[in-house]
Amino acid sequence: MSENREQILESIKVQGEVVRKLKAAKEPKEKIDEEVAKLLRLKASLQDEPAAPQKFVLKTAKGTRDYGPQQMALRQGVLDKIIAVFKKHGAETIDTPVFELKDVLTGKYGEDSKLIYDLKDQGGEILSLRYDLTVPLARYLAMSKIQSIKRYHIAKVYRRDNPSMTRGRYREFYQCDFDIAGNFDPMLPDAECVKVVSEILKSLDIGDYVMKLNHRQLLDGMFEACGVPADKFRTICSSVDKLDKSPWAEVRKEMIDEKGLDPSAADQIGEYVRLNGGIELVEKLLDDPKLNKVPAAVNGLEAMKLLLHYCKLMNLSNEISFDLSLARGLDYYTGVIYEAVLTGEPVKATANANEESGTVGSIAGGGRYDNLVGMFDPRSRQVPCVGVSIGVERIFAVLEAKHAAAKTSIRTTDVDVYVASAHKGLHEKRLEILSQLWDAGLKTEHSYKLNPKLLAQLQHCEERGIPYALVLGDSEIERGVVKFREIATRAEVELPLNDLVAEIRKRLADGK
């Protein structure tokens, strides 16, 4: 930076302080305008000075990360398995904008609404980045007047949260949602959502897990039976939702000290939220003298009884747990709620070595939200909905950590055949054969050097996990053949040039 530029910057700093003091002292407008004009002239004079080279701090924004080829290959493999399950259950996909009108998102997330990213005024529209994919779905259904759909949606969402990279919790992350909308008989769609999560977690082979199930009506009935005022149901529910991260003593303290709940009511809640089990627990609670006097509690318990019965028919009994501590604090839930958590050894994520180590929490969650679409419909027409969201970022953190611990390499391309030259002068023949293979849809590549060394080409295949090489040589080409080499075993056979595509396809099929 030139000496003159430094002097101007210092003068701007001093003049800016003069303007601030005048404004703070509420001096006459004419005097303030005069000093502001001086400040603007100083800033304008900077344009005539050569700017110093800008220095960047090279880092990703807090709560975000980059993904390299190996990480993206692992991620894509996870998404492919998830999508396969969604499609198996007959789901179709949609997409919605990454931002919504702020009014669409406001008031749908309870205490988590403070985590919504607001954007600046854009041409008269007050916008926010989407917090999840559920509220945009409800807005889409209301706008499009859709009464029934089974859809999946995989897209990025944004939360102004305190990130924990080691637990797979980010400010920008993917959600993978599966939802069933429409008027159907009780618990049939809800039970299928449990089945979908089970199939996905089994296909990903990420370890032992349990799916916790509860019912929002039962929670409200429990709060009523324990003496919680109706206007505190949602905020107390939000406290209960923290039991997966905090001990009961801390949650109780928050209920009493921060939310003004009577200690006796908190203690009664504590007796219930420590319970979990199966249908036998439902039967026990139906006989509970406090709960069976509250219609909401009875309705919730009867619904849970039916859901657990359907889950048993689908061989899910060993994977689920009726858990009264499960609350899920989002305001829009009206019925059954779900959450899947890993039960095996804690897995440390490896996204950022500077982060404090932590374990991955919930890997799937969701529930029934029958009133959300009606909030957007001009005539308040309801479209009952139930769905689940797969915590793909947390699943990815688990799998990434497993691969890092095992030091396994992941293929980052799908190339099946590498076209190699055995000696100089064959780059044009390589291009002819490459074009033939590409036109046939075969996944193929070659060296971008005219005369690469054969050893370097074969080493490239080993490093990238390419299973086969097609080795060109003058003598073989004169006989109308090329060598087809299996990289792992180094076994070679000769293939005829005039039927090359069919022969390669046959060997690829045999190899797979």
Side-chain angles (χ1 to χ4, degrees):
M1 183 184 292
S2 69
E3 184 177 344
N4 188 45
R5 185 178 180 83
E6 288 181 351
Q7 291 173 347
I8 294 173
L9 287 171
E10 182 61 30
S11 298
I12 289 173
K13 183 179 178 181
V14 172
Q15 186 62 25
E17 189 61 31
V18 169
V19 171
R20 279 190 288 274
K21 287 180 179 179
L22 290 175
K23 288 181 177 180
K26 297 184 179 180
E27 295 285 346
K29 184 176 183 300
E30 295 78 9
K31 189 174 182 180
I32 293 175
D33 288 345
E34 183 181 342
E35 297 302 325
V36 168
K38 291 180 183 178
L39 178 61
L40 292 175
R41 285 196 294 272
L42 284 168
K43 288 181 176 180
S45 68
L46 275 180
Q47 297 177 1
D48 300 328
E49 287 289 316
Q54 188 172 357
K55 293 182 179 179
F56 293 98
V57 177
L58 293 178
K59 63 183 288 291
T60 56
K62 187 177 181 182
T64 66
R65 62 174 294 195
D66 292 325
Y67 295 91
Q70 285 215 352
Q71 293 157 335
M72 283 304 298
L74 181 59
R75 173 186 287 266
Q76 192 58 53
V78 169
L79 294 180
D80 288 346
K81 290 178 180 178
I82 292 173
I83 291 171
V85 173
F86 290 161
K87 289 185 174 181
K88 182 169 68 173
H89 285 261
E92 50 195 347
T93 191
I94 67 167
D95 195 15
T96 61
V98 73
F99 44 80
E100 296 274 355
L101 295 176
K102 184 177 180 180
D103 288 347
V104 168
L105 305 182
T106 300
K108 312 302 188 301
Y109 303 107
E111 294 182 7
D112 283 351
S113 291
K114 63 182 181 292
L115 304 181
I116 294 173
Y117 267 110
D118 291 332
L119 303 177
K120 287 185 177 180
D121 185 335
Q122 299 293 325
E125 290 187 333
I126 308 301
L127 307 174
S128 298
L129 293 177
R130 62 186 172 203
Y131 177 90
D132 66 3
L133 301 178
T134 305
V135 171
L137 169 65
R139 191 263 309 151
Y140 167 79
L141 294 177
M143 274 185 62
S144 307
K145 296 181 172 57
I146 294 171
Q147 294 295 310
S148 177
I149 192 173
K150 185 190 292 185
R151 83 88 170 89
Y152 72 90
H153 189 183
I154 298 177
K156 286 185 176 181
V157 299
Y158 299 85
R159 297 186 183 178
R160 196 165 47 84
D161 202 352
N162 184 26
S164 177
M165 308 293 272
T166 56
R167 298 181 65 203
R169 192 166 74 200
Y170 305 97
R171 287 180 164 179
E172 176 194 66
F173 58 96
Y174 272 98
Q175 278 193 341
C176 302
D177 281 17
F178 173 90
D179 292 82
I180 302 172
N183 280 289
F184 303 112
D185 287 324
M187 288 299 161
L188 289 172
D190 311 63
E192 183 166 354
C193 287
V194 181
K195 183 66 172 176
V196 164
V197 174
S198 169
E199 290 178 3
I200 287 172
L201 298 184
K202 285 178 180 175
S203 72
L204 295 175
D205 191 26
I206 61 170
D208 296 334
Y209 62 90
V210 63
M211 278 200 70
K212 299 178 181 180
L213 312 177
N214 202 359
H215 201 284
R216 200 58 174 267
Q217 279 188 294
L218 173 57
L219 281 168
D220 287 351
M222 179 183 73
F223 294 149
E224 182 180 340
C226 293
V228 179
D231 62 353
K232 289 186 181 293
F233 281 7
R234 292 284 76 84
T235 187
I236 296 302
C237 187
S238 181
S239 294
V240 173
D241 190 39
K242 297 175 182 176
L243 282 170
D244 62 334
K245 307 177 188 74
S246 305
W248 166 248
E250 289 183 16
V251 172
R252 180 184 183 275
K253 188 174 186 297
E254 177 182 290
M255 289 178 175
I256 297 169
D257 295 349
E258 296 180 24
K259 300 184 175 178
L261 186 65
D262 186 273
S264 65
D267 290 337
Q268 290 179 68
I269 292 172
E271 293 175 10
Y272 287 114
V273 296
R274 296 170 187 174
L275 300 175
N276 62 78
I279 289 182
E280 75 288 344
L281 178 57
V282 176
E283 299 288 2
K284 176 184 174 183
L285 293 173
L286 281 169
D287 291 333
D288 185 290
K290 281 193 295 189
L291 294 181
N292 61 23
K293 294 176 184 176
V294 181
V298 174
N299 291 339
L301 286 167
E302 292 291 353
M304 286 303 304
K305 187 175 180 179
L306 182 59
L307 175 61
L308 294 173
H309 173 62
Y310 286 160
C311 287
K312 182 179 180 181
L313 293 176
M314 292 190 290
N315 299 315
L316 295 169
S317 296
N318 294 331
E319 303 168 40
I320 61 176
S321 172
F322 171 36
D323 192 323
L324 272 76
S325 71
L326 177 62
R328 296 193 67 78
L330 299 180
D331 274 5
Y332 53 64
Y333 289 127
T334 59
V336 65
I337 47 179
Y338 321 93
E339 192 159 282
V341 295
L342 293 180
T343 58
E345 286 294 315
V347 179
K348 309 292 187 185
T350 56
N352 190 331
N354 295 323
E355 291 277 342
E356 293 181 7
S357 62
T359 57
V360 174
S362 168
I363 52 173
R368 176 161 286 280
Y369 51 103
D370 287 348
N371 301 330
L372 191 55
V373 177
M375 291 183 184
F376 300 114
D377 191 280
R379 297 182 183 178
S380 298
R381 288 174 295 196
Q382 301 294 351
V383 180
C385 299
V386 65
V388 290
S389 180
I390 308 301
V392 67
E393 300 291 355
R394 293 180 176 183
I395 289 171
F396 179 66
V398 172
L399 295 178
E400 187 180 8
K402 282 188 173 183
H403 280 283
K407 297 182 179 179
T408 55
S409 179
I410 301 170
R411 281 198 68 187
T412 57
T413 73
D414 294 334
V415 172
D416 289 319
V417 181
Y418 187 96
V419 180
S421 303
H423 50 74
K424 294 181 178 181
L426 290 173
H427 63 279
E428 292 185 358
K429 189 64 178 178
R430 285 206 318 263
L431 290 175
E432 289 178 15
I433 292 177
L434 276 163
S435 182
Q436 182 184 355
L437 300 185
W438 283 332
D439 290 345
L442 295 173
K443 298 165 186 173
T444 316
E445 68 172 357
H446 75 133
S447 171
Y448 295 125
K449 292 187 175 182
L450 293 178
N451 300 305
K453 293 181 179 178
L454 181 59
L455 181 59
Q457 296 171 85
L458 298 178
Q459 283 177 340
H460 175 83
C461 293
E462 289 181 357
E463 292 167 1
R464 302 296 293 272
I466 300 172
Y468 301 103
L470 205 63
V471 184
L472 312 185
D474 280 339
S475 61
E476 287 84 6
I477 290 172
E478 287 175 5
R479 292 188 289 113
V481 299
V482 291
K483 288 180 180 178
F484 187 78
R485 180 184 178 102
E486 186 175 352
I487 298 300
T489 64
R490 302 185 182 182
E492 291 183 343
V493 295
E494 291 186 345
L495 302 183
L497 277 170
N498 59 6
D499 199 19
L500 191 56
V501 169
E503 290 291 339
I504 289 175
R505 280 181 174 157
K506 179 183 176 183
R507 280 157 178 79
L508 291 177
D510 292 342
K512 293 174 182 176

